[in-house]
Amino acid sequence: MKKLFVTFLFVGAALIVVAPSVQAAPGGGRRSWPELVGSPESLDRQIAGADRAGFVRIRNDKILQRLQKARAVVPLQRSRFVVIDPRLAPKWRWCRPIANRFLQDIGRTFYSRFRSRLQVNSAGRTILYQRELKRRNPNATDPERAPHTTGATVDIAKLSMSERQRNWMRDYLMRLEAQGVIEATEEHSQTVFHVMVFGHYQNQSTPLVRRRPRR
């Protein structure tokens, strides 16, 4: 399980504890999703999962083109359940087939629950492109360890989601994490759910997510 990072802030004489992903729980009280907090251990699990699946890091355009020709990476699939952020350049609208399947599965289930589509903000990247991002943003993941360079990682936008929709996403992703078929992180600076899909996801069924009572 990922570590729960807690930040301590001193304001005047008061000590404030800030914990990530804490929301109101049904029936009152508070509920947290520590499993979706990023950590070095989470990154290690993503790298290990990619290695087990044989998802090589895609270093440059030449390797990308070879994988595309072999259909080892494919275009992101748009559907009535999943859309692509128009700001994402066409060159980077690709992923592993297993990531496409995950997106359609979660998109279909999300749409049946909320009649709203999921948006993909980011997918596959080459190591060379990740280096460009790192130069512009020092907080970006090291290019040699970035999960996006495997093609099996996608970022799902959460900015336009209601809190009820975000809670549903957290529950859904946590259930798949418990099955060991994905590794998910809720990012706040980028306002996305970052998801690495492991190679054996295709052997899993879509999890049932308990419906929350309407308020």
Side-chain angles (χ1 to χ4, degrees):
M1 181 175 290
K2 300 176 186 173
K3 292 182 179 179
L4 175 60
F5 292 95
V6 179
T7 302
F8 295 89
L9 302 177
F10 288 90
V11 181
L15 174 64
I16 302 175
V17 180
V18 182
S21 300
V22 179
Q23 308 295 339
R30 305 286 283 176
R31 178 176 179 179
S32 65
W33 283 266
E35 292 85 352
L36 298 184
V37 177
S39 69
E41 292 78 10
S42 173
L43 182 57
D44 288 343
R45 286 192 291 271
Q46 293 177 65
I47 293 171
D51 290 343
R52 285 193 300 270
F55 294 156
V56 298
R57 277 59 163 186
I58 303 170
R59 184 161 296 277
N60 51 42
D61 289 350
K62 183 177 180 179
I63 295 175
L64 173 59
Q65 290 166 5
R66 188 172 72 223
L67 292 174
Q68 288 172 327
K69 186 176 181 179
R71 302 293 293 172
V73 297
V74 295
L76 278 171
Q77 182 181 346
R78 287 183 291 185
S79 68
R80 61 181 296 199
F81 315 117
V82 177
V83 298
I84 302 172
D85 186 341
R87 296 170 298 178
L88 182 62
K91 182 177 181 179
W92 307 116
R93 297 185 181 192
W94 50 267
C95 64
R96 298 279 177 176
I98 203 67
N100 254 343
R101 175 169 180 174
F102 161 78
L103 285 171
Q104 295 306 312
D105 285 347
I106 190 173
R108 183 181 301 106
T109 310
F110 185 85
Y111 186 85
S112 69
R113 178 72 176 87
F114 299 106
R115 287 296 182 268
S116 181
R117 295 184 293 180
L118 294 179
Q119 176 177 291
V120 181
N121 278 15
S122 183
R125 303 170 189 161
T126 62
I127 291 177
L128 288 180
Y129 181 55
Q130 185 70 22
R131 285 177 182 166
E132 293 180 22
L133 296 179
K134 183 71 173 176
R135 282 194 292 268
R136 297 200 298 264
N137 177 12
N139 293 323
T141 306
D142 182 86
E144 298 295 333
R145 289 173 57 82
H148 281 281
T149 64
T150 67
T153 300
V154 293
D155 290 342
I156 300 173
K158 65 173 186 171
L159 185 61
S160 63
M161 291 182 183
S162 67
E163 197 56 45
R164 189 160 61 94
Q165 290 171 330
R166 293 185 185 191
N167 288 344
W168 184 95
M169 286 286 293
R170 292 168 182 134
D171 279 347
Y172 188 103
L173 295 174
M174 281 176 56
R175 288 169 187 252
L176 284 181
E177 272 205 344
Q179 295 178 37
V181 296
I182 69 165
E183 182 75 17
T185 299
E186 182 174 359
E187 299 183 5
H188 298 283
S189 60
Q190 301 296 327
T191 61
V192 297
F193 291 103
H194 164 103
V195 185
M196 157 73 83
V197 186
F198 298 145
H200 54 292
Y201 170 82
Q202 58 190 342
N203 298 323
Q204 304 297 319
S205 58
T206 302
L208 296 176
V209 178
R210 176 172 51 83
R211 290 175 177 262
R212 295 179 181 274
R214 294 183 180 273
R215 295 183 180 276

